[in-house]
Amino acid sequence: MNFNQLPEKTKGILLIIISALGFAIMSALVKLSGDLPSFQKAFFRNLVAVFVAGWLVHKHKGSYTGSKENWKLLFLRSFAGTLGVIFNFYAIDHLILSDANMLNKLSPLFVIIFSYIFLKEKIHKEQVLAIIIAFLGSLFIIKPTFSLEALPGISGILGAVTAGIAYTCVRALGKSEPYYTVVFVFSLLSCIMILPFAMFTYQPMEFIQLAYLLLAGVCASISQFCLTLAYKYAPAKEISIFDYTNVIFSAIISMILFNMLPDLLSIIGYAIIFAVAFYMYKFNQKVVD
């Protein structure tokens, strides 16, 4: 059947699943690129997005800088998003892929917190309880100890927190800025912010490592735009739960490429976080409806 003939909701579901698969492949490529500094990986990953988003801005005859009144929000989105990428890449390098990606999926819960603090959006007691339970679930994945072994898990949590700030900024920008302008500004500022650290910590790469990182950038760009289009076809309350297929894809890829599977405690953590996500998915439907 032709994609254009599909129902709008079905289009949204397919696009969000493609996005989830793309992000899972991106994570695997980042891990395959080897023992390189996270700054270096983040720079080359975002460099691709600069050109992709820049081309879209040009195609739509849009703005490369955004509206002046949105500059502060665009900068905060870029700064927080850059930290989120670096923290997430560090977690990807040192954890099983599915562990790192599940921790990153806590970001929507942090959006609830930051939207309440900065956007004065109402927060329900059910949401507060869900956030607490999800955090407890994350402890099964992190397995906190008083040693450096806990750093990757903590980095994964920090990645979700900073991503939550970035997504809150995107939410605040609303319809005042087109998605391609927001992505271009983020990608460009991110590269500028990371460049000094990437240069200072730079390690020589083989061609295959550079290829992995550039392909990771391509996958990330495709995934980001698929995600944006998915929410154009269907509201978040109807399709957001399908984004968690990313963790399933990551677990399969991790098993095939790295012969690594999550342990029992991590699986318990997945189940808790997914249960909370599913509960919030159903709760949001009732609230909005």
Side-chain angles (χ1 to χ4, degrees):
M1 182 180 291
N2 190 301
F3 179 80
N4 293 326
Q5 296 176 339
L6 295 173
E8 298 287 273
K9 182 177 177 180
T10 303
K11 291 178 183 177
I13 291 172
L14 285 174
L15 284 168
I16 207 167
I17 290 175
I18 292 170
S19 173
L21 176 59
F23 278 125
I25 295 172
M26 181 213 73
S27 299
L29 290 167
V30 168
K31 198 174 185 72
L32 281 170
S33 66
D35 189 20
L36 296 171
S38 296
F39 290 112
Q40 188 170 334
K41 291 184 175 185
F43 176 81
F44 284 102
R45 179 269 198 201
N46 285 345
L47 187 62
V48 175
V50 172
F51 291 100
V52 175
W55 176 78
L56 284 171
V57 173
H58 174 74
K59 179 183 177 183
H60 292 279
K61 296 181 172 58
S63 170
Y64 287 96
T65 59
S67 304
K68 190 173 182 180
E69 59 267 24
N70 289 329
W71 284 358
K72 287 184 180 179
L73 268 179
L74 285 168
F75 178 80
L76 180 58
R77 184 265 181 269
S78 301
F79 180 72
T82 299
L83 288 178
V85 171
I86 293 169
F87 284 134
N88 186 39
F89 279 15
Y90 183 83
I92 287 170
D93 281 339
H94 296 86
L95 293 173
I96 294 173
L97 279 184
S98 50
D99 281 9
N101 286 336
M102 181 54 93
L103 290 175
N104 191 253
K105 292 303 173 190
L106 291 170
S107 57
L109 299 176
F110 289 110
V111 171
I112 296 171
I113 297 173
F114 294 124
S115 294
Y116 170 74
I117 296 173
F118 298 113
L119 305 182
K120 308 303 178 185
E121 293 185 359
K122 184 178 180 181
I123 188 169
H124 301 270
K125 61 180 183 295
E126 291 89 349
Q127 292 173 311
V128 175
L129 181 61
I131 291 167
I132 294 171
I133 294 173
F135 179 74
L136 292 175
S138 73
L139 296 181
F140 283 89
I141 302 172
I142 298 172
K143 306 170 189 66
T145 61
F146 294 101
S147 70
L148 294 177
E149 292 181 1
L151 278 180
I154 294 171
S155 183
I157 291 286
L158 290 175
V161 172
T162 47
I165 296 173
Y167 295 148
T168 303
C169 292
V170 172
R171 188 167 182 162
L173 288 165
K175 297 180 180 179
S176 61
E177 293 291 351
Y179 71 93
Y180 42 81
T181 295
V182 176
V183 174
F184 176 77
V185 172
F186 159 61
S187 303
L188 181 62
L189 288 182
S190 178
C191 285
I192 293 172
M193 286 185 276
I194 291 172
L195 183 58
F197 300 98
M199 292 176 65
F200 183 75
T201 60
Y202 181 80
Q203 292 183 15
M205 294 184 289
E206 297 178 5
F207 174 78
I208 189 64
Q209 290 177 296
L210 176 60
Y212 282 143
L213 292 179
L214 294 179
L215 283 173
V218 171
C219 288
S221 299
I222 292 172
S223 295
Q224 189 64 55
F225 294 129
C226 281
L227 191 65
T228 302
L229 286 172
Y231 289 125
K232 174 185 174 183
Y233 286 118
K237 65 170 185 169
E238 294 182 2
I239 64 173
S240 60
I241 195 70
F242 293 95
D243 192 33
Y244 282 80
T245 55
N246 169 271
V247 180
I248 299 172
F249 292 136
S250 295
I252 294 171
I253 292 171
S254 186
M255 178 180 65
I256 294 173
L257 293 182
F258 308 107
N259 197 29
M260 297 174 69
L261 283 172
D263 58 24
L264 179 60
L265 287 177
S266 287
I267 292 173
I268 293 173
Y270 296 177
I272 293 172
I273 295 172
F274 180 79
V276 169
F278 184 74
Y279 170 77
M280 289 307 303
Y281 165 71
K282 301 299 288 185
F283 175 78
N284 288 336
Q285 286 185 316
K286 291 179 182 178
V287 170
V288 176
D289 291 340

